[in-house]
Amino acid sequence: MVDLFAPLSLAFTAWLAAIVARRALGIPVGWPRTIVVGMLVTSAIGSAVTSFSQFAGIVADDGITVSMPATVLVLSLVVAWVFVLGLTALVMMEVVVPTGTLPSPLDLLRGWKARRRRTRRYAQIMKIVVRHGLGGYLRGRRRTDPYQGAGKIARSLRAALNEGGVTFVKLGQMLSTRRDLIPEQFADQLATLQTSAEPEPWPEIEKAIRTALGKPLEQVFAVVDPEPMAAASVAQVHAATLLDGREVVLKVQRPRARAQVAADMEIILRLSRRLERSTPWGRSLRVFTLAKGFAAALDEELDYTVELDNLRSVAATLDSGIAVPEVVEEHSGGTLLVMTRLRGTPVGAAGAVLAGLSVERRKEMAHRLLSEVLRQQVRTGIFHADLHPGNVLVDADGGLGLLDFGSVGRLDDSTRTALGMLLLAVDRDDAIAATDALIELLDRPPGLAERELERQVGQLMVRYRTGYGRGGSTGMFGSLLKVVHDYGFAVPPQIAGAFRALAALDGTLALISPDLDMFGAAREQGRALMREAVEPGAVRANLEERLAGYLPVLQRLPRRINHLVEDLEHGRLSVNVRPLADDGDRRFLTGLVQQLVIAVLAGSATLGSIILIVADVGPMITPNIRLLPVIGGVLLLIGFLLALRSLALVFHPRSG
């Protein structure tokens, strides 16, 4: 029992010291380090008390030589100083390695398998990066501009992302649409990335379908073609026929896709945080913010219930005869979509079909598709954001259909109005109105040079109106994004999504009708949309809706005006200003005052202690120590403790 009691007593004392340490410093210091420091302090107290007792003359060969009160006072001061030195060690550890920056021992035990797997994948990715000559940019050691020799670097980046797998391919595809952030050579190279992959064996896909359905395939489908219509790295598409005879397609998520994407996304987020912290180009591109947005978008793309909602939302807004598939909801879920089959050929592979149509018919199809996208962006606010040539179907009669609703944009009312005003300003060649619409759309950055921005926007409009600009209207919007980024605008994801949708549509419209005047078509559609928005009936309906919302306020307005006039007449009108009404402001000011008071008290106690410690007068309480230096030691202890608390609060990450 004696052998067991000693370590238990030590552990309890260490735990008690840890509690006192956390309370004394006023911050939630990690328990593991406080307990370790507590054990060291507890172990050191005995040696410190013995050594100081012999030095002060408290203990001699014939026993204790001073009175008990003096002994308790002096030894208590020694114990307190040992404890404060332990607190000093804790504060230093908090300054160097704050609590929470390292995983806890429990987390280390729980996640060692995941860390080992992540480490292997991380090493594999780093080998790919180094093999393609990009290692210096990840380490931040390249002092030259990464955009020098951009063509070669872009090709290396495309090859590295393609070798990295599905998540990195999709990351490259996302970056290829951000021409406002990356040079054109990079965007062009990344746009060639494809997510096609070797088909998953049919037994694996059949098992995935059966798991998603919760029943055998024979109870739902009369026929399922085991040969995929398309095979991407995340999903496969198979043709099938329901028991009621309807022809459908099955979009099936590959069994291991989500686990692979989750593991890779964790690595991408870690890498992006490191790049933004250690490289100038990473900070300028805000790569960690981009990575977080990409992670959220990819997570939605892997949840097919989100795509189901997107499809229904877009279908409800279509108004030009463009077809979309219908979802068989009773058989669809998070990893499986069952949709009616649309007849047609993707635009990217429909050269023969388009060649059989007249030039006028193809131009009408392109106009209709562009008009529908602009109408959705300006009027309804819900639009398909990824209309590349593989997601648009055409048939022999010139009909159009849309596929793949994993990426859908949504714009609120004020954003739609500002976007419409931008289109109207482009139609009128009004650079001032276009600049005002941009500021309304994106919010004014600090220190904006408006006149310079007006000139840039005006030059851009002239360039594309005269046909000098490449890419038509969508090319103009891509160039416009670059301009606003150069002037410090923060482009919200929904606005960037709207411009990306037009950029993705560019190539599709060019394949449907190569001689289409994109800029002229966009101006014409923008003019028609704004004419529709400002016609008397639409304005009246909009005013009636707003008036209905303000009706309760208007009903109470006469009574409030009457009260205001009466108070003004009788001299009762007053204005109450509460500068610290916000809780956050009060907490900030209170914390600031507390830290100032602590610092002042610490300084005062330290100065007073120095005066007392150097005093050479006063009664002796031990053969070698006077009373005044002991009191000075107590004051110094208090001042030191207050200084430690102040320092801990300053360096603690949540203190502000």
Side-chain angles (χ1 to χ4, degrees), residues 166-366:
V166 50
T167 312
F168 294 91
V169 168
K170 288 189 172 293
L171 175 62
Q173 290 176 332
M174 183 274 291
L175 289 175
S176 72
T177 66
R178 295 305 305 264
R179 294 175 183 264
D180 57 313
L181 298 180
I182 63 176
E184 195 162 333
Q185 299 99 315
F186 283 78
D188 291 341
Q189 284 291 329
L190 297 180
T192 63
L193 288 168
Q194 300 294 327
T195 56
S196 58
E198 288 295 321
E200 195 85 15
W202 170 245
E204 295 289 332
I205 292 297
E206 182 182 20
K207 181 180 178 181
I209 298 174
R210 186 169 63 250
T211 302
L213 291 173
K215 61 183 72 175
L217 274 64
E218 295 78 13
Q219 296 184 15
V220 179
F221 305 106
V223 178
V224 179
D225 188 353
E227 291 296 322
M229 301 171 62
S233 48
V234 171
Q236 287 185 193
V237 179
H238 290 259
T241 304
L242 293 172
L243 293 177
D244 59 9
R246 283 181 293 172
E247 292 186 342
V248 294
V249 293
L250 313 180
K251 183 176 180 179
V252 191
Q253 191 173 113
R254 290 178 181 251
R256 289 169 291 277
R258 179 172 285 276
Q260 182 63 55
V261 168
D264 284 348
M265 274 313 311
E266 187 175 1
I267 293 174
I268 287 175
L269 289 173
R270 288 171 178 266
L271 276 176
S272 63
R273 187 185 293 109
R274 174 184 171 185
L275 290 173
E276 186 163 323
R277 186 172 58 247
S278 61
T279 64
W281 65 268
R283 285 189 294 273
S284 66
L285 294 182
R286 298 188 291 272
V287 293
F288 184 59
T289 302
L290 283 175
K292 289 194 294 185
F294 169 66
L298 191 55
D299 186 63
E300 285 192 357
E301 188 175 338
L302 290 172
D303 184 358
Y304 290 170
T305 59
V306 174
E307 183 172 347
L308 189 152
D309 293 336
N310 290 341
L311 196 157
R312 287 187 300 207
S313 299
V314 173
T317 65
L318 289 175
D319 191 31
S320 56
I322 298 177
V324 296
E326 296 180 7
V327 178
V328 184
E329 296 189 26
E330 61 268 25
H331 302 314
S332 299
T335 58
L336 173 67
L337 277 181
V338 181
M339 300 171 286
T340 56
R341 184 173 182 178
L342 295 182
R343 293 297 176 180
T345 306
V347 169
V353 175
L354 291 171
L357 299 172
S358 65
V359 174
E360 291 75 14
R361 179 59 171 165
R362 294 174 65 174
K363 186 174 294 187
E364 183 274 331
M365 292 164 59

Side-chain angles (χ1 to χ4, degrees), residues 177-178 180 383 411 442 481 491-501:
T177 66
R178 295 305 305 264
D180 57 313
F383 58 94
L411 301 176
L442 304 175
L481 273 178
V491 183
Q494 62 271 25
I495 306 299
F499 287 176
R500 286 201 305 270

Side-chain angles (χ1 to χ4, degrees), residues 18-41:
I19 293 179
V20 176
R22 289 166 63 97
R23 295 288 296 175
L25 294 178
I27 60 174
V29 185
W31 280 109
R33 64 181 64 183
T34 51
I35 290 177
V36 169
V37 170
M39 294 179 68
L40 294 176
V41 167

Side-chain angles (χ1 to χ4, degrees), residues 548-613:
Y550 286 119
L551 192 57
V553 177
L554 294 175
Q555 288 175 337
R556 298 184 181 92
L557 188 59
R559 186 194 314 153
R560 293 177 177 175
I561 294 177
N562 184 45
H563 288 168
L564 185 63
V565 172
E566 287 181 356
D567 289 342
L568 184 62
E569 181 181 358
H570 294 90
R572 295 193 302 263
L573 185 64
S574 62
V575 178
N576 184 19
V577 179
R578 300 178 60 191
L580 296 176
D582 184 69
D583 289 340
D585 293 341
R586 289 199 298 272
R587 284 194 299 269
F588 171 76
L589 186 59
T590 301
L592 196 62
V593 171
Q594 286 177 348
Q595 291 192 31
L596 180 61
V597 170
I598 291 174
V600 170
L601 290 176
S604 302
T606 303
L607 288 175
S609 68
I610 293 174
I611 295 173
L612 293 175
I613 289 173

Side-chain angles (χ1 to χ4, degrees), residues 61-100:
D61 295 336
D62 55 350
I64 298 177
T65 60
V66 296
S67 64
M68 184 59 66
T71 302
V72 172
L73 175 62
V74 173
L75 295 185
S76 297
L77 186 60
V78 172
V79 171
W81 267 107
V82 173
F83 179 73
V84 168
L85 291 177
L87 291 184
T88 304
L90 274 180
V91 171
M92 292 301 102
M93 284 190 284
E94 283 296 311
V95 171
V96 177
V97 186
T99 295

